[in-house]
Amino acid sequence: MAVLAYSLGKREINQHFTIKNAKLISLVVVFLLLVFHTASRYYGGGDSCEWLLSRGRYLGENVWQPYGCMMHKYKSIEAKTCLAEKRVAFVGDSRIRQLFYSFIKVIDPERREDGNKHEDISFEDESSSLNDFLWYPEANNSMKERLISWTHEASAKPDVVILGAATWSIKLHSGSSETLQQYKVNLTALAVHLEKLADHGEVYWVLQDPVNEEVLSDNRKMITNQQLELYNEAAVDVLNSSKRNSRSRVKLLAASRQAAMETITQSDDGLHLPESTRNVGAMILMNSVCNKLLRPIDGSCCQTVPPPNLLQKLSACFFLGSAAVFLVLHVLGNNRHRRPVPPDVESLEEKKPATAAVPLGPKAPFQALCRMGVIMGYFYLCDRADVFMKEQKFYTHSTFFIPLIYIFVLGVFYSENSKETKLLNREQTDEWKGWMQLVILIYHISGASAFIPVYMHVRVLVAAYLFQTGYGHFSFFWLKGDFGLYRVCQVLFRLNFLVLVLCVVMNRPYQFYYFVPLVTFWFVVIYGTLAMWPQILQKKANNSGMWHLGVLTKLLGLLLFICFFAFSQGFFESIFSVWPISKLFELNGSIHEWWFRWKLDRFVTKFCKLCKIFFSFDNVLLQKRQVLSEGKGEALFSAKISNLLLFLSVVSFITYSIWASSCKTKTECNEMHPYISVILAFILIRNIPGYARSIYSSFFSWFGKISLELFICQYHIWLAADTKGILVLIPGNPSLNIMVSTFIFVCVAHEISLITNDLAQVVIPKDSMALLKRLGAMGLFSLVVLLLARGSQPTPGA
């Protein structure tokens, strides 16, 4: 009864929630979100700079998240580069002096707080300009005279001024109301000169941080949070009044106060903030001053959107032109298209028709390009335009493992009987790709790379993904022997179409999407190895053991080739640094990233070839001797052999996990990674038990069929800032945001998969002469694009 209810419930869900309906819903949601964010920017006011300075929250201990944007953590060399031509002046009391020290420690982490109290302090570094702290504990005439002197002395005028004062006024005058009124008068007088300084630089007024009244000394007991709040209200009122009257450019730093409200209890004296909170304030200032100059990719606060380059403009014109042609053909009534295909309610996939589909008409490719143009517009809005918000990642065990448990429960819920029970059958490999891709997605969005054991296990998943890709391509060539140009071009188009479009639309190099260059490279290697003389296929090899020796000789040659490149980094770099090959493998002017990625999993494809040869040769032999059985519900081997192999496989997994958990650094682990693999152990565990081989998860299998699109699309429409952060569509509710953005992201990935398949039929003709002509035209077009790309490189810091 329970099984029947389970089956009916699953079918009921799939009947009402098809992929087509999901895409329509996602399109409506995107439109509504676009309207919401545009309206909130226009009517709500404020930009990412104001968000950075005004509000935020702690993601975890000492990790500050500004509202709606990402805060870059500046290193010494970056700070020196930004401030090389700037003079920064801190003006105020002891709390401003603390902020000054935290600020200069970003420039020089070894700097000590050794200045005298209640005196001016100077800091000058060889590669940066002068930074001063000037002791002015009250907002009075003395501070005003200092500001006046700067407005008259052009040579001594600071580029950035950070001011703040109130606690001494409260302390010296016991928090009297007359002192508060005088504070307003003085600040009103200061505002005029602050405006003059802001005309040629940046001016920040720091709102007063709270105090811990319980631990304040007796001579500070009059400094209460109520008093500080009155002084903050006075500062906001005066400076906002100035802002309303004359468009003031004096900025209020309130976010550090918000951060201090959560950490002031850690203060030693109740007045001065703990170092971690001061560092938050210093990093906020550093982002506000430097982001627009250095443009770090993970520092979206205070950055203006760069204008689209020539290639991006041309791509927009191309998609608009395709849409125009599609509309003209539609109006003319050219509706010849492929026959509609009914959806499969179980898998949410389209069933293949029993008869051949009607050939694509002239309207179909333009319709596909029109859909692709809309999707690329969404990509651009998400990660290149200032429309949607972004936030930084923060890893906790719960953000990684709880979603992991959730998706595996869904995977079990959608378990079904497999149509075939062969070793590594199609349903099983799709399932394998699917759950691995989902784990990798959760790994990326949770920032789990910070946790080395998880990092190393995901490295195994990436290697397994490469194994499956290589295994599939090798199997095709090994079994069918189809080395034709049509097959090769179909595979290369399927692998690279989306990435090549993104390279143009998102202004990113090919190597940025590292996995695609990796699988493309190994596909070419596999093809070259098997296609070169003598071509040895399974049928030929099974007739004579000598042919197996021939295959092994080829693989030995490939192994020597891999080892030579792996241990000759200079030669490797010299080969891949030659133009135009270098344009495919360079990232930020260097091929080091390509070297790192290639070296990490260099033996995986060789291993997959050996596995395929072993399985295809030994399956026949072992089945004849009744040692191996692939029947439904039957164990792969005899009971003794099965139990032994399962035991060894489980021990291998446990041993690997213990080793991965004991690694101290990623570098240390990565050095050993190419020589350690538990892929075979997983294959045995998944296939030896008959019941395990007889079922599969249609949920994971569905995701496995679009795994490549999921991997690539996550860069810009699920993550943000080129994977450094998280896209925020629903601000203020992280859980709902993840659900909505994930829903849209999956729908987009599935649609791109269909578009790619549609266009592959048009772009890659089966006629050899037509294909050669198109390859020549595409080669010429690629050369033109590469030449144009020389003048439109990604922005620095990306």
Side-chain angles (χ1 to χ4, degrees):
M1 197 69 184
V3 174
L4 178 62
Y6 159 83
S7 179
L8 290 174
K10 184 170 62 174
R11 181 173 289 273
E12 185 74 14
I13 292 171
N14 290 339
Q15 283 178 338
H16 291 89
F17 192 72
T18 63
I19 187 63
K20 183 178 179 180
N21 291 339
K23 288 175 184 177
L24 290 174
I25 293 170
S26 68
L27 186 63
V28 173
V29 171
V30 168
F31 177 77
L32 294 176
L33 288 171
L34 188 60
V35 171
F36 167 75
H37 281 272
T38 304
S40 63
R41 292 282 182 121
Y42 184 79
Y43 294 105
D47 55 18
S48 61
C49 240
E50 187 172 326
W51 296 339
L52 169 70
L53 297 171
S54 61
R55 50 181 166 159
R57 70 183 192 278
Y58 276 106
L59 295 178
E61 187 177 357
N62 304 333
V63 179
W64 182 253
Q65 170 61 62
Y67 174 78
C69 63
M70 296 169 61
M71 188 170 75
H72 178 64
K73 188 174 182 179
Y74 275 88
K75 298 177 181 177
S76 175
I77 189 170
E78 295 172 314
K80 289 177 180 178
T81 302
C82 169
L83 302 175
E85 304 296 329
K86 290 183 180 292
R87 182 189 175 195
V88 183
F90 288 77
V91 182
D93 54 17
S94 58
R95 299 215 276 189
I96 296 296
R97 183 180 66 234
Q98 280 190 312
L99 185 59
F100 164 76
Y101 275 123
S102 293
F103 188 86
I104 63 175
K105 281 182 179 179
V106 179
I107 305 168
D108 180 11
E110 303 300 321
R111 173 73 181 196
R112 289 184 164 188
E113 300 183 16
D114 52 6
N116 295 326
K117 294 182 178 181
H118 305 174
E119 291 183 8
D120 297 347
I121 304 170
S122 293
F123 169 79
E124 189 170 8
D125 187 80
E126 293 178 357
S127 55
S128 64
S129 297
L130 183 67
N131 296 279
D132 296 318
F133 166 72
L134 304 176
W135 173 254
Y136 288 94
E138 291 190 85
N140 54 19
N141 286 330
S142 298
M143 185 182 286
K144 184 174 75 171
E145 288 172 6
R146 168 56 71 178
L147 299 179
I148 292 173
S149 69
W150 281 336
T151 58
H152 288 85
E153 300 172 17
S155 60
K157 187 183 300 181
D159 300 287
V160 182
V161 182
I162 297 105
L163 313 91
T167 55
W168 275 73
S169 297
I170 298 171
K171 176 182 175 182
L172 294 176
H173 304 282
S174 301
S176 65
S177 57
E178 293 81 4
T179 306
L180 177 61
Q181 292 302 318
Q182 187 60 46
Y183 180 82
K184 290 182 180 179
V185 172
N186 292 343
L187 197 54
T188 303
L190 290 175
V192 177
H193 305 290
L194 293 175
E195 287 299 325
K196 291 181 180 179
L197 289 172
D199 287 338
H200 304 286
E202 297 180 61
V203 179
Y204 300 86
W205 184 268
V206 182
L207 295 183
Q208 293 300 300
D209 299 320
V211 296
N212 186 359
E213 298 178 16
E214 295 179 359
V215 297
L216 286 173
S217 59
D218 291 338
N219 63 340
R220 291 173 176 167
K221 286 293 185 182
M222 68 290 297
I223 306 175
T224 64
N225 287 319
Q226 184 180 4
Q227 283 285 327
L228 292 172
E229 191 61 32
L230 292 173
Y231 277 74
N232 281 335
E233 289 175 1
V236 171
D237 183 60
V238 169
L239 294 174
N240 278 349
S241 175
S242 174
K243 186 173 184 177
R244 286 191 295 270
N245 294 332
S246 60
R247 288 185 161 184
S248 171
R249 285 184 295 276
V250 178
K251 302 171 183 178
L252 294 173
L253 176 55
S256 59
R257 169 176 168 269
Q258 188 177 356
M261 292 176 70
E262 299 187 34
T263 60
I264 190 61
T265 54
Q266 302 170 22
S267 171
D268 294 331
D269 60 6
L271 178 67
H272 299 98
L273 300 178
E275 185 176 5
S276 61
T277 312
R278 285 152 32 201
N279 292 341
V280 168
M283 203 56 70
I284 289 172
L285 286 171
M286 194 66 74
N287 275 258
S288 182
V289 172
C290 296
N291 280 4
K292 51 186 166 290
L293 298 174
L294 301 187
R295 305 187 66 83
I297 195 65
D298 61 341
S300 63
C301 302
C302 290
Q303 277 201 47
T304 54
V305 178
N309 60 30
L310 177 61
L311 285 176
Q312 289 172 313
K313 292 176 182 177
L314 289 175
S315 65
C317 292
F318 174 77
F319 285 122
L320 288 173
S322 300
V325 173
F326 169 69
L327 287 175
V328 170
L329 292 174
H330 185 72
V331 170
L332 293 176
N334 195 330
N335 294 317
R336 185 169 172 236
H337 193 46
R338 64 181 175 183
R339 188 176 301 167
V341 180
D344 180 356
V345 298
E346 280 296 309
S347 65
L348 302 184
E349 284 285 85
E350 292 180 345
K351 290 180 179 177
K352 293 182 179 179
T355 58
V358 177
L360 294 178
K363 191 174 77 168
F366 294 103
Q367 184 184 29
L369 288 172
C370 186
R371 287 147 54 202
M372 193 68 180
V374 172
I375 290 172
M376 287 301 106
Y378 179 63
F379 270 77
Y380 191 90
L381 291 174
C382 285
D383 213 17
R384 289 297 177 270
D386 194 17
V387 177
F388 300 118
M389 300 175 179
K390 302 175 178 68
E391 289 188 354
Q392 54 224 36
K393 302 175 186 178
F394 178 71
Y395 175 74
T396 62
H397 292 321
S398 61
T399 58
F400 177 75
F401 288 104
I402 290 177
L404 210 61
I405 295 169
Y406 179 70
I407 64 160
F408 275 100
V409 169
L410 282 176
V412 172
F413 179 76
Y414 281 92
S415 294
E416 296 182 8
N417 291 325
S418 182
K419 294 176 183 176
E420 55 179 326
T421 58
K422 290 183 179 180
L423 189 71
L424 288 178
N425 59 69
R426 182 58 185 268
E427 291 168 332
Q428 187 184 123
T429 53
D430 282 341
E431 174 202 83
W432 192 3
K433 283 182 181 179
W435 71 255
M436 286 195 305
Q437 186 58 65
L438 292 175
V439 172
I440 291 171
L441 291 174
I442 295 170
Y443 163 83
H444 281 153
I445 203 165
S446 64
S449 61
F451 187 45
I452 292 180
V454 172
Y455 168 81
M456 288 311 302
H457 283 82
V458 170
R459 288 256 52 84
V460 173
L461 298 187
V462 174
Y465 206 105
L466 280 173
F467 168 86
Q468 280 206 59
T469 304
Y471 184 88
H473 293 313
F474 187 90
S475 297
F476 179 86
F477 293 129
W478 176 251
L479 297 173
K480 297 190 176 181
D482 181 4
F483 297 101
L485 188 60
Y486 174 75
R487 163 71 183 180
V488 174
C489 292
Q490 280 277 337
V491 173
L492 292 178
F493 184 88
R494 174 77 173 82
L495 290 175
N496 291 276
F497 169 69
L498 174 58
V499 163
L500 292 177
V501 174
L502 288 177
C503 287
V504 175
V505 174
M506 307 304 288
N507 191 26
R508 279 292 168 264
Y510 181 64
Q511 181 57 37
F512 176 74
Y513 309 93
Y514 73 90
F515 188 76
V516 171
L518 208 55
V519 294
T520 301
F521 174 83
W522 286 117
F523 168 74
V524 173
V525 169
I526 290 171
Y527 174 79
T529 303
L530 290 177
M532 66 185 294
W533 184 88
Q535 291 184 2
I536 305 172
L537 307 178
Q538 184 191 26
K539 291 180 181 179
K540 186 184 290 186
N542 286 343
N543 292 332
S544 173
M546 292 299 294
W547 289 117
H548 275 92
L549 292 177
V551 176
L552 293 175
T553 303
K554 281 189 175 185
L555 295 182
L556 179 61
L558 178 60
L559 176 62
L560 293 175
F561 162 80
I562 292 171
C563 291
F564 179 75
F565 270 83
F567 296 106
S568 306
Q569 184 176 354
F571 181 72
F572 181 94
E573 292 183 352
S574 65
I575 293 294
F576 289 100
S577 296
V578 177
W579 193 90
I581 297 176
S582 60
K583 302 305 296 182
L584 297 176
F585 299 104
E586 281 184 353
L587 187 63
N588 298 328
S590 170
I591 66 164
H592 177 76
E593 179 70 11
W594 167 238
W595 158 257
F596 169 75
R597 298 291 181 184
W598 178 89
K599 187 178 179 182
L600 207 55
D601 298 305
R602 59 188 180 271
F603 296 124
V604 170
T605 53
K606 180 175 173 58
F607 175 64
C608 78
K609 295 171 191 175
L610 289 172
C611 284
K612 182 58 187 175
I613 293 171
F614 174 81
F615 292 151
S616 61
F617 178 70
D618 284 3
N619 273 9
V620 178
L621 184 63
L622 293 175
Q623 285 179 4
K624 285 181 179 178
R625 297 183 178 182
Q626 296 183 342
V627 176
L628 181 143
S629 174
E630 291 183 323
K632 191 167 186 178
E634 298 177 359
L636 202 61
F637 302 103
S638 64
K640 289 183 179 180
I641 297 176
S642 295
N643 291 336
L644 177 62
L645 290 176
L646 283 173
F647 174 76
L648 292 175
S649 299
V650 171
V651 169
S652 298
F653 265 110
I654 295 172
T655 304
Y656 180 85
S657 296
I658 293 172
W659 171 79
S661 301
S662 65
C663 275
K664 295 180 180 178
T665 65
K666 289 182 181 179
T667 304
E668 173 189 328
C669 294
N670 287 335
E671 286 298 319
M672 292 297 296
H673 172 73
Y675 308 102
I676 302 174
S677 177
V678 291
I679 296 173
L680 182 58
F682 172 79
I683 294 173
L684 293 174
I685 292 172
R686 181 67 179 83
N687 285 274
I688 286 177
Y691 64 86
R693 206 171 61 256
S694 302
I695 61 171
Y696 79 106
S697 170
S698 59
F699 175 78
F700 290 142
S701 179
W702 189 88
F703 283 99
K705 291 171 184 174
I706 58 169
S707 56
L708 182 67
E709 288 77 15
L710 288 171
F711 191 90
I712 300 167
C713 290
Q714 67 167 323
Y715 278 69
H716 303 294
I717 62 169
W718 198 50
L719 304 175
D722 294 345
T723 75
K724 303 294 183 182
I726 299 171
L727 180 68
V728 178
L729 300 177
I730 310 291
N733 194 326
S735 299
L736 181 60
N737 175 68
I738 288 294
M739 287 190 286
V740 172
S741 64
T742 302
F743 176 69
I744 297 170
F745 157 60
V746 172
C747 290
V748 168
H750 188 274
E751 183 65 16
I752 290 176
S753 177
L754 297 181
I755 292 170
T756 304
N757 291 331
D758 285 348
L759 291 177
Q761 297 179 51
V762 178
V763 176
I764 313 295
K766 291 186 177 181
D767 181 69
S768 298
M769 287 305 299
L771 180 56
L772 287 172
K773 290 179 181 178
R774 291 195 182 180
L775 287 176
M778 290 172 66
L780 183 62
F781 175 76
S782 300
L783 183 62
V784 172
V785 171
L786 286 173
L787 292 172
L788 289 173
R790 284 186 166 185
S792 36
Q793 296 297 322
T795 55

